[in-house]
Amino acid sequence: MNRIANLAPVGEEAFPNRLFDDGRDVLARFGYRYAGAGDWFEDWSEMWDLLRGDFATDARPDVPAYADLSESQRAAAEDYMARRLTADRRLVACEKAHREMLAEGINNDLVELYSAVREAYEESVEAFGDARERLEALL
């Protein structure tokens, strides 16, 4: 997967495949933003403010702020948010691999590369969901 690191950044520019742009729009509602290298924000309190509404229910309309979480809840929330960041990073890798296929033409190596990064992304989304369930149980 070393080829991914050498690809030009995707950034906020429109992507040739509309599905990627639409996906970014959906993810942005949950705090996703395209970040340049070294620019991944990991302010747990800020991120929790973006994501905690996802845990609100009729029985629990007011989800605690990050500072008000218990130690075990905070640890689970940080795991949940870290897994979200991993998914964000892997989405960028998918975009870059897809862009390379479009730019250089589809060949077996590029298809295999895209398949590998896409699978890693899908696994990270599943892990994010699992972390959400663990956190939900603690809230």
Side-chain angles (χ1 to χ4, degrees):
M1 285 201 209
N2 291 352
R3 294 178 66 147
I4 292 298
N6 298 324
L7 298 178
V10 177
E12 292 296 330
E13 68 190 64
F15 198 81
N17 182 334
R18 183 85 186 128
L19 290 175
F20 280 103
D21 288 330
D22 291 346
R24 278 191 203 148
D25 291 343
V26 170
L27 292 174
R29 288 186 271 166
F30 302 96
Y32 172 81
R33 67 180 176 84
Y34 183 85
D39 185 35
W40 299 103
F41 79 101
E42 294 184 12
D43 180 326
W44 298 133
S45 182
E46 178 185 345
M47 193 181 309
W48 180 246
D49 284 343
L50 292 170
L51 298 173
R52 71 182 176 150
D54 192 35
F55 294 91
T57 64
D58 288 338
R60 185 186 56 238
D62 296 319
V63 178
Y66 181 77
D68 298 328
L69 295 172
S70 70
E71 188 175 322
S72 61
Q73 289 171 329
R74 189 173 299 130
E78 288 175 8
D79 180 55
Y80 171 71
M81 293 182 286
R83 291 177 186 277
R84 198 212 86 195
L85 288 171
T86 297
D88 288 355
R89 291 175 179 119
R90 290 184 178 172
L91 175 62
V92 171
C94 282
E95 290 178 347
K96 289 180 178 182
H98 194 258
R99 181 178 292 280
E100 185 174 359
M101 281 194 316
L102 293 174
E104 294 185 24
I106 297 176
N107 66 45
N108 287 342
D109 290 341
L110 295 177
V111 170
E112 287 180 25
L113 174 66
Y114 177 75
S115 295
V117 295
R118 177 66 190 200
E119 184 174 335
Y121 170 66
E122 290 172 359
E123 288 172 0
S124 69
V125 169
E126 289 176 15
F128 177 58
D130 292 344
R132 186 205 186 288
E133 289 177 12
R134 287 189 297 274
L135 177 54
E136 176 71 35
L138 291 172
L139 293 174

